Amino acid sequence: MINKNFLNLSNNYLFAEIARKVQAFKAENPKAQIISLGIGDVTQPLCPAVVEALHKAADEMAVAATFRGYGPEQGYDFLRNAIVENDFKARGIDIDADEIFVSDGAKSDTGNFQELLSADCVVAVTDPVYPVYVDSNIMAGRRIVKLPCTAENGFIPEAPLLSSLKEDGKGLVIFLCYPNNPTGTVLSRSELKKWVDYALANDALIFYDAAYEAFIQHDDIPHSIYEIEGAKRCAVEFHSFSKTAGFTGVRCGYTVVPKDLPAPFNSLWNRRQCTKFNGTSYLSQRAAEAIYTPEGKQQVKATINYYMENARVMREALTDMGFKVYGGEDAPYLWVSTPNNMTSWDFFDWMLRSAYVVCTPGSGFGPSGEGFVRLTAFGTHENTEKALLRIANRL
Ligand code: PLP
């Protein structure tokens, strides 16, 4: 009766194990003030433009004349058009509104979009990786190939590793996430172009997760894969307002499905959404629209700057302490090499017990994450600085 693929999922011990260890430590040391540099959620509130839009939308819902029931499964035109204008046209990218599918976030879409793929497609993911790509493909029974991303290769997976996969004649889907969770590293235009060229030459499909594009600080780093010539023929792109504008609780994102893809993914995704999805709430979409107003843009940027200031302070302080630090320049994540060949979990324990600071062990994101921990910039300035001081004092 059940889908046996689900039995192949490993229990994801990572966050449960972190919580268990933190609880146990708290029980032993009730006075210890623990600070988490491991949180993947945001801490700053919604910006005023978004809050105002939410209030306004709620008021509309209270009056019969402006009440909205079911909306279009693909998203309201006001939001699809704002996305096209601001995220694509403004960057010189030609995307049509009917290639934008508004969703309740990138997690569900990166998982659900795979329904359009055959079960025998081979799936390539980076290692370390956002665990959702792996687990959602295990649920579908697909073969998964891991592409190691290490300090030696600059955390950039190598396409040649995939050439052997093409020989078996099956479809190939490559998941890329840049700026990357968990390593916080980015792909330059020329590096991303190599992947687009590879996909075009090998009839592969790229799933490009751009959930963290708003954190990019350097002008030459691409925000969208469609900045690369030919990408509309080989890539689907996922976006999220969660980290961009603090929408982790509001829920809104979107997926770009170009009509130029070699298979009818655009019409099939539309068909799938019309069957299985009843749209993102009107309130969430009005809230997302507000991000694209002049005030919204400026306010959202201010919050991102707040987090990126944390990232800067963390990078500097940890580097001064002698740690090897990656990422954190165009992403809210720092990938820190553990000292003295400690394992990720040993270093986690040391940080917790010596500095009362929580981090995320890199090995939880895949075998190549061993020897690293992930730190996030989503805390407050005060806590971030306090945590760094404690680490420095315990070294
Ligand atoms: N993609 C990546 C790489 C993420 O790290 C996350 C959240 O942590 C998501 C997608 C999920 O985004 P959403 O909140 O839009 O579902």
Side-chain angles (χ1 to χ4, degrees), residues 93 187-197 200 208 220-235 237:
I93 304 169
L187 286 189
S188 69
R189 209 169 291 276
S190 62
E191 285 150 357
L192 188 53
K193 183 178 175 339
K194 280 188 207 157
W195 278 98
V196 170
D197 291 348
L200 290 172
Y208 196 73
D220 52 340
I221 302 297
H223 287 249
S224 162
I225 195 165
Y226 305 118
E227 290 180 40
I228 310 297
E229 174 80 38
K232 283 206 306 188
R233 287 183 279 120
C234 65
E237 185 166 276

Side-chain angles (χ1 to χ4, degrees), residues 73-75 80 97-103 109 113 253-258 265-267 269-271 273:
E73 290 89 348
Q74 306 80 2
R80 294 174 101 189
D98 62 0
E99 295 175 305
I100 304 287
F101 292 83
V102 176
S103 71
D109 271 13
F113 201 86
Y254 67 90
T255 294
V256 189
V257 191
F265 284 111
N266 181 283
S267 57
W269 183 241
N270 188 44
R271 184 74 177 79
Q273 290 297 77

Side-chain angles (χ1 to χ4, degrees), residues 40 104-108 110 130 133 177 181 209 211-212 239-243 248 251-253 333:
D104 64 355
K107 187 182 198 173
S108 27
T110 50
Y130 176 54
Y133 312 150
C177 169
N181 176 14
D209 188 341
Y212 296 97
H239 284 252
S240 167
F241 297 113
S242 284
K243 308 296 161 67
T248 50
R251 309 306 304 146
C252 196
Y333 297 118

Side-chain angles (χ1 to χ4, degrees), residues 41-317:
D41 203 347
V42 292
T43 53
Q44 298 304 299
L46 295 171
C47 68
V50 165
V51 174
E52 197 183 309
L54 279 169
H55 280 298
K56 192 163 165 261
D59 287 342
E60 286 179 47
M61 290 298 228
V63 180
T66 48
F67 169 78
R68 309 279 184 130
Y70 290 125
E73 290 89 348
Q74 306 80 2
Y76 283 101
D77 282 345
F78 62 76
L79 180 55
R80 294 174 101 189
N81 290 332
I83 290 167
V84 165
E85 288 306 319
N86 292 280
D87 287 352
F88 298 101
K89 291 245 157 77
R91 295 201 172 103
I93 304 169
D94 182 26
I95 291 284
D96 293 337
D98 62 0
E99 295 175 305
I100 304 287
F101 292 83
V102 176
S103 71
D104 64 355
K107 187 182 198 173
S108 27
D109 271 13
T110 50
N112 291 335
F113 201 86
Q114 299 162 32
E115 283 181 30
L116 304 191
L117 304 176
S118 65
D120 68 355
C121 276
V122 176
V123 169
V125 298
T126 58
D127 167 28
V129 68
Y130 176 54
V132 172
Y133 312 150
V134 173
D135 285 355
S136 53
N137 278 294
I138 289 177
M139 289 172 185
R142 291 197 186 87
R143 186 155 81 84
I144 297 169
V145 178
K146 293 191 173 175
L147 306 173
C149 293
T150 60
E152 289 70 38
N153 64 19
F155 304 99
I156 298 166
E158 284 163 48
L161 285 177
L162 295 173
S163 42
S164 59
L165 295 174
K166 281 314 295 172
E167 284 166 25
D168 62 15
K170 294 181 177 147
L172 175 61
V173 177
I174 305 155
F175 279 76
L176 295 177
C177 169
Y178 288 96
N180 188 257
N181 176 14
T183 65
T185 54
V186 286
L187 286 189
S188 69
R189 209 169 291 276
S190 62
E191 285 150 357
L192 188 53
K193 183 178 175 339
K194 280 188 207 157
W195 278 98
V196 170
D197 291 348
Y198 176 87
L200 290 172
N202 291 281
D203 297 325
L205 184 64
I206 296 177
F207 280 10
Y208 196 73
D209 188 341
Y212 296 97
E213 63 81 18
F215 292 83
I216 292 172
Q217 307 292 307
H218 292 94
D219 289 343
D220 52 340
I221 302 297
H223 287 249
S224 162
I225 195 165
Y226 305 118
E227 290 180 40
I228 310 297
E229 174 80 38
K232 283 206 306 188
R233 287 183 279 120
C234 65
V236 172
E237 185 166 276
F238 302 93
H239 284 252
S240 167
F241 297 113
S242 284
K243 308 296 161 67
T244 305
F247 272 44
T248 50
V250 175
R251 309 306 304 146
C252 196
Y254 67 90
T255 294
V256 189
V257 191
K259 289 173 285 190
D260 291 352
L261 289 168
F265 284 111
N266 181 283
S267 57
L268 293 180
W269 183 241
N270 188 44
R271 184 74 177 79
R272 188 266 179 208
Q273 290 297 77
C274 290
T275 304
K276 292 199 181 179
F277 184 60
N278 251 341
T280 308
S281 87
Y282 177 67
L283 277 77
S284 297
Q285 293 191 62
R286 280 294 185 201
E289 182 194 24
I291 297 168
Y292 295 109
T293 60
E295 317 77 65
K297 278 184 195 168
Q298 186 233 319
Q299 293 164 4
V300 161
K301 186 87 188 103
T303 306
I304 287 175
N305 289 346
Y306 178 93
Y307 293 134
M308 291 312 288
E309 174 61 10
N310 278 344
R312 187 192 65 75
V313 168
M314 287 160 82
R315 267 186 71 87
E316 259 182 41

